[in-house]
Amino acid sequence: MWAIIRRKVVNGSSTASVFGRPLRETRLVTAPATRSYSTNVKERLLLGRGSKIVGSAGLHGCLGCPISSKTVREVLPFLQTDSPNYMQYRSFSSDNGDLVDAVVPFMGESITDGTLANFLKQPGDRVEVDEPIAQIETDKVTIDVASPEAGVLQKFVANEGDTVEPGTKIAIISKSGEGVAHVAPSEQPPSKADSKASADKKNAVKEKPKEETSLPKPKAETSPPRPKAPSPPPSKPSATEPQLPPKERERRVPMTRLRKRVATRLKDSQNTFAMLTTFNEVDMTGLMKLRSDYKDAFVEKHGVKLGLMSGFVKAAVSGLQNQPIINAVIDGDDIIYRDYIDISIAVGTPKGLVVPVIRNADKMNFAEIEKEINTLAKKANDGSISIDEMAGGSFTISNGGVYGSLLSTPIINPPQSAILGMHSIVNRPMFVGGEIVSRPMMYIALTYDHRLIDGREAVFFLRRIKDVVEDPRRLLLDI
Protein backbone atom coordinates (compact mmCIF):
# COMPACT_ATOMS: atom_id res chain seq x y z
CA MET A 1 0.00 0.00 0.00
CA TRP A 2 2.84 2.38 0.86
CA ALA A 3 4.44 1.66 -2.52
CA ILE A 4 1.23 2.79 -4.27
CA ILE A 5 1.09 5.98 -2.17
CA ARG A 6 4.75 6.74 -2.88
CA ARG A 7 4.22 6.35 -6.64
CA LYS A 8 1.27 8.73 -6.54
CA VAL A 9 3.25 11.26 -4.54
CA VAL A 10 6.09 11.16 -7.03
CA ASN A 11 3.72 11.48 -9.96
CA GLY A 12 2.14 14.55 -8.33
CA SER A 13 -1.36 13.29 -8.59
CA SER A 14 -3.70 15.92 -7.24
CA THR A 15 -6.64 13.61 -7.12
CA ALA A 16 -5.07 11.07 -4.77
CA SER A 17 -5.86 11.51 -1.13
CA VAL A 18 -5.44 9.76 2.17
CA PHE A 19 -8.55 9.81 4.36
CA GLY A 20 -9.88 12.78 2.45
CA ARG A 21 -6.66 14.88 2.49
CA PRO A 22 -4.69 15.60 -0.70
CA LEU A 23 -1.36 13.89 -0.84
CA ARG A 24 0.30 17.15 -1.88
CA GLU A 25 -0.18 18.40 1.69
CA THR A 26 1.37 15.22 3.10
CA ARG A 27 5.06 15.02 3.80
CA LEU A 28 7.34 12.13 4.69
CA VAL A 29 8.75 12.17 8.21
CA THR A 30 11.67 9.88 8.97
CA ALA A 31 12.39 8.99 12.61
CA PRO A 32 15.36 7.03 13.92
CA ALA A 33 13.32 3.91 14.59
CA THR A 34 10.05 4.36 12.59
CA ARG A 35 8.89 5.63 9.20
CA SER A 36 5.40 7.10 8.75
CA TYR A 37 3.34 9.78 7.05
CA SER A 38 2.25 12.86 8.99
CA THR A 39 0.57 16.21 8.59
CA ASN A 40 1.75 19.49 10.01
CA VAL A 41 -1.47 20.69 11.61
CA LYS A 42 -4.00 19.34 14.08
CA GLU A 43 -6.86 17.86 12.18
CA ARG A 44 -9.84 15.59 12.43
CA LEU A 45 -9.63 12.15 10.89
CA LEU A 46 -12.81 11.04 9.27
CA LEU A 47 -13.06 7.28 9.32
CA GLY A 48 -16.01 5.69 7.51
CA ARG A 49 -19.40 6.69 8.68
CA GLY A 50 -18.64 9.46 11.13
CA SER A 51 -16.06 7.76 13.38
CA LYS A 52 -13.87 10.63 14.66
CA ILE A 53 -10.53 10.85 16.43
CA VAL A 54 -9.22 14.33 17.27
CA GLY A 55 -5.56 14.82 17.99
CA SER A 56 -2.20 15.90 16.72
CA ALA A 57 -1.40 12.43 15.45
CA GLY A 58 -2.13 13.30 11.87
CA LEU A 59 -2.06 10.20 9.80
CA HIS A 60 0.09 8.27 12.24
CA GLY A 61 -1.24 4.90 13.32
CA CYS A 62 -2.21 3.67 9.90
CA LEU A 63 -1.30 0.06 9.38
CA GLY A 64 0.60 -0.35 12.64
CA CYS A 65 2.64 2.87 12.60
CA PRO A 66 3.02 4.59 15.99
CA ILE A 67 0.64 7.39 17.03
CA SER A 68 2.91 9.83 18.85
CA SER A 69 4.09 7.79 21.88
CA LYS A 70 1.11 5.42 21.78
CA THR A 71 0.93 2.14 19.94
CA VAL A 72 -1.79 1.21 17.49
CA ARG A 73 -3.31 -1.19 20.05
CA GLU A 74 -4.25 1.83 22.21
CA VAL A 75 -6.06 3.57 19.34
CA LEU A 76 -7.88 0.67 17.72
CA PRO A 77 -10.41 0.24 20.56
CA PHE A 78 -11.81 3.72 19.75
CA LEU A 79 -12.64 2.76 16.18
CA GLN A 80 -16.22 1.93 15.37
CA THR A 81 -16.78 -1.69 14.53
CA ASP A 82 -19.19 -0.81 11.73
CA SER A 83 -16.66 1.38 9.94
CA PRO A 84 -15.42 0.01 6.61
CA ASN A 85 -11.89 0.96 7.67
CA TYR A 86 -12.17 -0.91 10.99
CA MET A 87 -9.25 -3.29 11.50
CA GLN A 88 -10.00 -6.50 13.37
CA TYR A 89 -7.22 -7.86 15.57
CA ARG A 90 -6.67 -10.76 17.94
CA SER A 91 -5.35 -10.54 21.51
CA PHE A 92 -2.36 -12.74 22.18
CA SER A 93 -1.19 -14.17 25.52
CA SER A 94 1.54 -11.60 25.72
CA ASP A 95 -1.06 -8.84 25.59
CA ASN A 96 -3.50 -9.80 28.30
CA GLY A 97 -1.50 -12.42 30.25
CA ASP A 98 -4.30 -14.98 30.01
CA LEU A 99 -2.00 -17.90 29.16
CA VAL A 100 0.66 -19.11 31.57
CA ASP A 101 3.22 -21.88 31.12
CA ALA A 102 3.65 -24.89 33.40
CA VAL A 103 7.36 -25.69 33.52
CA VAL A 104 9.50 -28.40 35.10
CA PRO A 105 10.71 -27.27 38.56
CA PHE A 106 14.21 -27.52 39.99
CA MET A 107 14.86 -31.20 40.75
CA GLY A 108 17.99 -31.16 42.92
CA GLU A 109 21.67 -30.36 42.75
CA SER A 110 22.72 -33.71 41.26
CA ILE A 111 19.74 -34.13 38.88
CA THR A 112 19.94 -32.47 35.46
CA ASP A 113 16.96 -34.05 33.72
CA GLY A 114 14.05 -36.43 34.15
CA THR A 115 11.40 -38.35 32.26
CA LEU A 116 7.85 -37.06 31.89
CA ALA A 117 6.13 -40.08 33.42
CA ASN A 118 2.46 -39.20 33.11
CA PHE A 119 -0.07 -36.37 33.11
CA LEU A 120 -2.45 -36.14 36.06
CA LYS A 121 -4.84 -33.80 34.21
CA GLN A 122 -6.21 -33.66 30.67
CA PRO A 123 -6.87 -30.67 28.37
CA GLY A 124 -10.09 -29.02 29.47
CA ASP A 125 -9.71 -29.95 33.14
CA ARG A 126 -9.96 -27.29 35.82
CA VAL A 127 -6.78 -26.83 37.87
CA GLU A 128 -6.04 -24.81 40.98
CA VAL A 129 -2.87 -23.02 42.04
CA ASP A 130 -0.07 -25.47 42.96
CA GLU A 131 -2.23 -28.46 41.95
CA PRO A 132 -0.08 -31.23 40.40
CA ILE A 133 -0.73 -31.68 36.68
CA ALA A 134 2.13 -34.03 35.77
CA GLN A 135 4.84 -36.20 37.31
CA ILE A 136 8.54 -36.16 36.44
CA GLU A 137 10.45 -39.34 37.20
CA THR A 138 14.12 -38.85 38.08
CA ASP A 139 16.93 -41.19 39.06
CA LYS A 140 15.93 -40.96 42.72
CA VAL A 141 12.41 -39.59 43.27
CA THR A 142 9.23 -38.64 41.45
CA ILE A 143 8.60 -34.87 41.30
CA ASP A 144 5.25 -33.17 40.68
CA VAL A 145 4.81 -30.32 38.20
CA ALA A 146 2.36 -27.88 39.80
CA SER A 147 0.06 -25.44 38.03
CA PRO A 148 1.37 -21.85 38.45
CA GLU A 149 -2.14 -20.33 38.25
CA ALA A 150 -5.75 -21.35 38.67
CA GLY A 151 -7.53 -21.91 35.39
CA VAL A 152 -8.16 -24.52 32.73
CA LEU A 153 -5.50 -26.75 31.22
CA GLN A 154 -5.42 -25.66 27.57
CA LYS A 155 -2.99 -28.08 25.94
CA PHE A 156 0.18 -30.12 26.34
CA VAL A 157 3.41 -29.10 24.67
CA ALA A 158 5.34 -32.23 25.71
CA ASN A 159 4.59 -35.92 25.50
CA GLU A 160 4.78 -38.69 28.07
CA GLY A 161 8.17 -40.36 27.92
CA ASP A 162 10.03 -37.18 26.88
CA THR A 163 13.27 -36.29 28.63
CA VAL A 164 12.83 -32.85 30.19
CA GLU A 165 15.11 -30.46 32.04
CA PRO A 166 14.32 -27.87 34.74
CA GLY A 167 12.54 -24.96 33.08
CA THR A 168 11.12 -27.00 30.19
CA LYS A 169 7.55 -26.00 29.27
CA ILE A 170 5.19 -28.97 29.30
CA ALA A 171 1.69 -27.44 29.33
CA ILE A 172 -0.23 -24.19 28.90
CA ILE A 173 -2.82 -22.98 31.41
CA SER A 174 -5.61 -20.57 30.44
CA LYS A 175 -6.68 -18.48 33.40
CA SER A 176 -9.99 -17.58 31.75
CA GLY A 177 -10.57 -21.00 30.20
CA GLU A 178 -10.93 -19.60 26.67
CA GLY A 179 -9.64 -21.43 23.62
CA VAL A 180 -9.21 -24.72 25.43
CA ALA A 181 -8.59 -27.75 23.29
CA HIS A 182 -10.59 -30.52 24.90
CA VAL A 183 -9.06 -33.17 22.65
CA ALA A 184 -5.34 -33.77 22.47
CA PRO A 185 -3.83 -33.23 18.98
CA SER A 186 -2.89 -36.88 18.70
CA GLU A 187 -6.43 -37.97 19.65
CA GLN A 188 -8.48 -35.72 17.34
CA PRO A 189 -11.18 -37.64 15.49
CA PRO A 190 -10.88 -37.79 11.69
CA SER A 191 -12.68 -35.06 9.80
CA LYS A 192 -15.80 -35.71 7.75
CA ALA A 193 -13.91 -35.15 4.52
CA ASP A 194 -11.33 -37.77 5.47
CA SER A 195 -14.07 -40.20 6.50
CA LYS A 196 -15.92 -39.66 3.23
CA ALA A 197 -12.74 -40.13 1.21
CA SER A 198 -11.90 -43.35 3.00
CA ALA A 199 -15.48 -44.61 2.53
CA ASP A 200 -15.33 -43.85 -1.21
CA LYS A 201 -12.03 -45.66 -1.41
CA LYS A 202 -13.49 -48.73 0.29
CA ASN A 203 -16.50 -48.71 -2.05
CA ALA A 204 -14.21 -48.47 -5.04
CA VAL A 205 -12.23 -51.44 -3.80
CA LYS A 206 -15.42 -53.41 -3.24
CA GLU A 207 -16.82 -52.55 -6.69
CA LYS A 208 -13.62 -53.35 -8.52
CA PRO A 209 -13.99 -57.15 -8.45
CA LYS A 210 -17.56 -56.86 -9.82
CA GLU A 211 -16.35 -54.86 -12.81
CA GLU A 212 -13.62 -57.35 -13.46
CA THR A 213 -16.06 -60.26 -13.40
CA SER A 214 -18.32 -58.56 -15.93
CA LEU A 215 -15.54 -58.34 -18.54
CA PRO A 216 -15.15 -61.32 -20.86
CA LYS A 217 -12.04 -63.32 -20.17
CA PRO A 218 -9.84 -64.33 -23.09
CA LYS A 219 -9.72 -68.05 -23.71
CA ALA A 220 -6.39 -69.54 -22.86
CA GLU A 221 -4.78 -72.00 -25.21
CA THR A 222 -5.33 -75.55 -24.11
CA SER A 223 -2.17 -77.44 -23.33
CA PRO A 224 -1.64 -80.85 -21.78
CA PRO A 225 -1.39 -80.67 -18.00
CA ARG A 226 2.11 -80.97 -16.65
CA PRO A 227 2.79 -83.56 -14.01
CA LYS A 228 3.04 -82.03 -10.58
CA ALA A 229 6.35 -82.42 -8.83
CA PRO A 230 6.07 -84.11 -5.46
CA SER A 231 6.20 -81.53 -2.66
CA PRO A 232 9.11 -82.00 -0.25
CA PRO A 233 8.12 -83.26 3.18
CA PRO A 234 7.95 -80.53 5.89
CA SER A 235 11.19 -80.15 7.78
CA LYS A 236 11.01 -81.47 11.29
CA PRO A 237 12.69 -79.48 14.05
CA SER A 238 15.74 -81.12 15.45
CA ALA A 239 15.47 -82.76 18.82
CA THR A 240 18.03 -80.37 20.33
CA GLU A 241 16.27 -77.19 19.14
CA PRO A 242 14.42 -75.52 22.07
CA GLN A 243 10.71 -74.87 21.68
CA LEU A 244 10.38 -71.17 22.61
CA PRO A 245 7.03 -69.53 23.37
CA PRO A 246 5.69 -67.19 20.68
CA LYS A 247 6.57 -63.50 20.85
CA GLU A 248 2.90 -62.61 21.16
CA ARG A 249 2.97 -63.88 24.73
CA GLU A 250 5.73 -61.48 25.76
CA ARG A 251 5.54 -57.83 26.80
CA ARG A 252 8.36 -55.30 26.43
CA VAL A 253 8.17 -52.40 28.89
CA PRO A 254 10.88 -49.71 29.16
CA MET A 255 12.63 -49.43 32.51
CA THR A 256 11.82 -46.46 34.68
CA ARG A 257 14.57 -44.00 35.49
CA LEU A 258 14.46 -45.01 39.15
CA ARG A 259 14.86 -48.69 38.29
CA LYS A 260 17.74 -47.95 35.89
CA ARG A 261 19.44 -45.85 38.57
CA VAL A 262 19.08 -48.60 41.18
CA ALA A 263 20.45 -51.18 38.73
CA THR A 264 23.44 -49.00 37.87
CA ARG A 265 24.31 -48.25 41.50
CA LEU A 266 24.03 -51.88 42.59
CA LYS A 267 26.20 -53.07 39.72
CA ASP A 268 28.77 -50.36 40.43
CA SER A 269 28.77 -51.46 44.08
CA GLN A 270 29.38 -55.04 43.06
CA ASN A 271 32.20 -54.03 40.72
CA THR A 272 33.88 -51.62 43.17
CA PHE A 273 33.69 -53.14 46.65
CA ALA A 274 35.30 -56.32 47.90
CA MET A 275 32.05 -57.40 49.56
CA LEU A 276 31.95 -60.03 52.24
CA THR A 277 29.02 -61.00 54.49
CA THR A 278 29.08 -62.28 58.05
CA PHE A 279 26.04 -63.64 59.91
CA ASN A 280 24.71 -64.00 63.42
CA GLU A 281 21.39 -64.69 65.13
CA VAL A 282 19.55 -62.63 67.71
CA ASP A 283 17.14 -63.72 70.39
CA MET A 284 14.34 -61.15 70.16
CA THR A 285 12.77 -62.05 73.53
CA GLY A 286 14.21 -59.06 75.44
CA LEU A 287 13.31 -56.37 72.89
CA MET A 288 9.85 -57.81 72.25
CA LYS A 289 9.16 -57.94 76.01
CA LEU A 290 10.28 -54.32 76.37
CA ARG A 291 7.89 -53.28 73.62
CA SER A 292 5.02 -55.33 75.06
CA ASP A 293 5.44 -53.89 78.58
CA TYR A 294 5.60 -50.22 77.61
CA LYS A 295 3.77 -49.94 74.26
CA ASP A 296 0.63 -48.30 75.75
CA ALA A 297 2.54 -45.80 77.88
CA PHE A 298 4.84 -45.06 74.95
CA VAL A 299 1.93 -44.26 72.62
CA GLU A 300 0.21 -42.16 75.27
CA LYS A 301 3.25 -39.98 75.87
CA HIS A 302 4.87 -39.76 72.43
CA GLY A 303 1.93 -40.36 70.09
CA VAL A 304 3.73 -43.05 68.12
CA LYS A 305 4.00 -46.81 68.44
CA LEU A 306 7.18 -48.42 69.73
CA GLY A 307 8.57 -50.68 67.02
CA LEU A 308 11.55 -52.95 66.62
CA MET A 309 13.35 -50.73 64.12
CA SER A 310 14.21 -48.06 66.71
CA GLY A 311 15.92 -50.72 68.83
CA PHE A 312 18.08 -51.81 65.89
CA VAL A 313 18.92 -48.19 65.03
CA LYS A 314 20.10 -47.57 68.61
CA ALA A 315 22.05 -50.85 68.51
CA ALA A 316 23.67 -49.82 65.18
CA VAL A 317 24.64 -46.46 66.67
CA SER A 318 26.29 -48.23 69.60
CA GLY A 319 28.11 -50.59 67.24
CA LEU A 320 29.37 -47.75 65.02
CA GLN A 321 30.66 -45.87 68.05
CA ASN A 322 32.57 -48.97 69.20
CA GLN A 323 33.85 -49.76 65.67
CA PRO A 324 34.30 -46.38 63.91
CA ILE A 325 35.96 -48.03 60.89
CA ILE A 326 32.51 -49.34 59.88
CA ASN A 327 31.34 -45.71 59.65
CA ALA A 328 34.35 -44.71 57.51
CA VAL A 329 34.76 -44.78 53.72
CA ILE A 330 37.60 -45.05 51.21
CA ASP A 331 38.22 -41.97 49.06
CA GLY A 332 41.05 -42.58 46.61
CA ASP A 333 44.14 -43.32 48.70
CA ASP A 334 42.61 -41.87 51.87
CA ILE A 335 40.20 -43.06 54.56
CA ILE A 336 37.50 -40.61 55.64
CA TYR A 337 36.35 -41.08 59.25
CA ARG A 338 32.96 -39.58 59.93
CA ASP A 339 32.30 -37.99 63.32
CA TYR A 340 28.55 -38.12 62.76
CA ILE A 341 26.14 -41.03 62.38
CA ASP A 342 23.43 -40.76 59.71
CA ILE A 343 21.49 -44.01 59.41
CA SER A 344 19.88 -44.79 56.03
CA ILE A 345 16.73 -46.93 56.13
CA ALA A 346 15.97 -48.89 52.95
CA VAL A 347 12.28 -48.63 52.06
CA GLY A 348 10.67 -50.63 49.28
CA THR A 349 7.96 -48.71 47.39
CA PRO A 350 5.77 -49.67 44.41
CA LYS A 351 8.04 -47.58 42.18
CA GLY A 352 11.33 -48.95 43.50
CA LEU A 353 13.80 -48.89 46.36
CA VAL A 354 14.49 -45.57 48.12
CA VAL A 355 16.79 -44.95 51.08
CA PRO A 356 15.78 -41.99 53.31
CA VAL A 357 18.26 -40.87 55.97
CA ILE A 358 17.83 -40.35 59.72
CA ARG A 359 20.17 -37.43 60.49
CA ASN A 360 22.24 -37.46 63.69
CA ALA A 361 20.74 -40.72 64.89
CA ASP A 362 23.31 -40.83 67.72
CA LYS A 363 21.60 -37.80 69.32
CA MET A 364 18.04 -39.15 69.12
CA ASN A 365 16.02 -41.25 71.57
CA PHE A 366 13.61 -44.08 70.77
CA ALA A 367 10.60 -41.81 70.31
CA GLU A 368 12.39 -39.39 67.99
CA ILE A 369 13.68 -42.25 65.87
CA GLU A 370 10.21 -43.83 65.58
CA LYS A 371 8.65 -40.51 64.57
CA GLU A 372 11.32 -39.87 61.94
CA ILE A 373 11.00 -43.38 60.51
CA ASN A 374 7.22 -43.05 60.22
CA THR A 375 7.47 -39.65 58.53
CA LEU A 376 10.09 -40.77 56.00
CA ALA A 377 8.33 -44.04 55.23
CA LYS A 378 5.05 -42.23 54.57
CA LYS A 379 6.74 -39.76 52.21
CA ALA A 380 8.53 -42.57 50.40
CA ASN A 381 5.33 -44.51 49.79
CA ASP A 382 3.30 -41.55 48.51
CA GLY A 383 6.21 -40.23 46.40
CA SER A 384 6.61 -36.90 48.20
CA ILE A 385 10.09 -37.55 49.60
CA SER A 386 12.74 -35.05 48.50
CA ILE A 387 16.30 -35.46 47.30
CA ASP A 388 17.71 -33.83 50.44
CA GLU A 389 15.98 -36.42 52.63
CA MET A 390 17.83 -39.21 50.81
CA ALA A 391 21.24 -37.59 50.34
CA GLY A 392 24.21 -38.72 52.40
CA GLY A 393 24.03 -41.42 55.01
CA SER A 394 26.96 -43.25 56.60
CA PHE A 395 25.40 -46.67 57.31
CA THR A 396 22.32 -48.50 55.98
CA ILE A 397 19.79 -50.86 57.60
CA SER A 398 17.64 -53.03 55.34
CA ASN A 399 14.71 -54.90 56.86
CA GLY A 400 13.77 -57.75 54.56
CA GLY A 401 11.91 -59.43 57.38
CA VAL A 402 8.79 -57.39 56.71
CA TYR A 403 8.45 -59.34 53.43
CA GLY A 404 9.20 -62.71 55.04
CA SER A 405 12.89 -63.02 54.17
CA LEU A 406 14.64 -65.58 56.36
CA LEU A 407 18.23 -64.94 55.26
CA SER A 408 19.96 -62.76 52.66
CA THR A 409 23.23 -61.05 51.75
CA PRO A 410 22.47 -57.32 51.28
CA ILE A 411 24.50 -55.19 48.86
CA ILE A 412 26.38 -52.11 50.09
CA ASN A 413 24.79 -48.75 49.32
CA PRO A 414 27.58 -46.62 47.75
CA PRO A 415 29.54 -44.71 48.92
CA GLN A 416 29.03 -46.35 52.32
CA SER A 417 31.17 -49.24 53.53
CA ALA A 418 28.66 -51.57 55.20
CA ILE A 419 25.00 -52.51 55.43
CA LEU A 420 23.02 -54.41 58.09
CA GLY A 421 20.34 -56.85 56.97
CA MET A 422 17.41 -57.72 59.23
CA HIS A 423 15.17 -60.73 58.59
CA SER A 424 11.94 -62.33 59.74
CA ILE A 425 11.40 -63.49 63.31
CA VAL A 426 10.86 -67.25 63.56
CA ASN A 427 10.28 -69.30 66.68
CA ARG A 428 12.99 -71.94 66.88
CA PRO A 429 14.11 -74.37 69.59
CA MET A 430 17.04 -72.94 71.51
CA PHE A 431 19.17 -74.36 74.32
CA VAL A 432 18.80 -71.88 77.23
CA GLY A 433 19.84 -72.56 80.83
CA GLY A 434 20.25 -76.26 80.26
CA GLU A 435 16.79 -76.60 78.68
CA ILE A 436 15.43 -76.58 75.14
CA VAL A 437 12.89 -73.75 74.83
CA SER A 438 11.12 -71.98 71.96
CA ARG A 439 12.54 -68.51 71.30
CA PRO A 440 11.74 -65.83 68.67
CA MET A 441 14.96 -65.74 66.65
CA MET A 442 16.18 -63.49 63.86
CA TYR A 443 19.13 -63.91 61.52
CA ILE A 444 21.12 -60.72 60.96
CA ALA A 445 23.74 -60.16 58.27
CA LEU A 446 26.47 -57.56 57.83
CA THR A 447 27.88 -57.00 54.34
CA TYR A 448 31.06 -54.90 54.45
CA ASP A 449 33.84 -53.64 52.20
CA HIS A 450 36.74 -55.99 52.93
CA ARG A 451 39.21 -53.47 51.45
CA LEU A 452 38.63 -51.27 54.49
CA ILE A 453 37.05 -53.46 57.16
CA ASP A 454 38.65 -56.64 58.42
CA GLY A 455 36.65 -59.63 59.55
CA ARG A 456 37.54 -58.93 63.18
CA GLU A 457 35.84 -55.50 63.18
CA ALA A 458 32.84 -56.84 61.27
CA VAL A 459 32.29 -59.71 63.74
CA PHE A 460 32.71 -57.39 66.75
CA PHE A 461 30.18 -54.95 65.26
CA LEU A 462 27.61 -57.68 64.63
CA ARG A 463 28.20 -59.07 68.08
CA ARG A 464 27.46 -55.64 69.56
CA ILE A 465 24.17 -55.53 67.65
CA LYS A 466 23.26 -58.93 69.11
CA ASP A 467 24.12 -57.94 72.69
CA VAL A 468 22.19 -54.66 72.66
CA VAL A 469 19.06 -56.11 71.00
CA GLU A 470 18.96 -59.09 73.35
CA ASP A 471 19.46 -56.88 76.43
CA PRO A 472 18.47 -53.22 75.79
CA ARG A 473 19.50 -52.32 79.38
CA ARG A 474 23.08 -52.19 78.09
CA LEU A 475 22.20 -48.87 76.45
CA LEU A 476 21.30 -47.35 79.84
CA LEU A 477 24.48 -48.60 81.49
CA ASP A 478 26.70 -48.07 78.43
CA ILE A 479 28.24 -51.51 78.70
Side-chain angles (χ1 to χ4, degrees), residues 102-170:
V103 299
V104 178
F106 177 71
M107 296 182 288
E109 292 291 342
S110 60
I111 300 178
T112 58
D113 58 16
T115 301
L116 181 55
N118 62 299
F119 286 103
L120 305 178
K121 298 288 184 178
Q122 296 299 323
D125 291 348
R126 177 73 185 179
V127 294
E128 302 299 332
V129 178
D130 296 332
E131 183 179 1
I133 62 174
Q135 289 184 330
I136 306 297
E137 192 175 72
T138 67
D139 298 340
K140 298 180 179 179
V141 295
T142 300
I143 299 174
D144 292 334
V145 179
S147 173
E149 297 286 347
V152 178
L153 179 59
Q154 188 184 59
K155 65 177 181 178
F156 299 139
V157 294
N159 300 319
E160 293 183 356
D162 290 352
T163 300
V164 293
E165 299 177 353
T168 303
K169 181 170 67 174
I170 66 170

Side-chain angles (χ1 to χ4, degrees), residues 55-102:
S56 61
L59 295 181
H60 290 288
C62 296
L63 302 179
C65 297
I67 302 177
S68 298
S69 62
K70 298 184 178 181
T71 62
V72 70
R73 291 189 179 95
E74 297 177 68
V75 176
L76 288 178
F78 295 96
L79 300 181
Q80 293 184 358
T81 57
D82 58 347
S83 171
N85 296 325
Y86 173 71
M87 301 171 59
Q88 294 185 352
Y89 68 101
R90 177 172 172 264
S91 298
F92 296 92
S93 60
S94 58
D95 297 336
N96 54 19
D98 178 62
L99 302 181
V100 292
D101 299 334

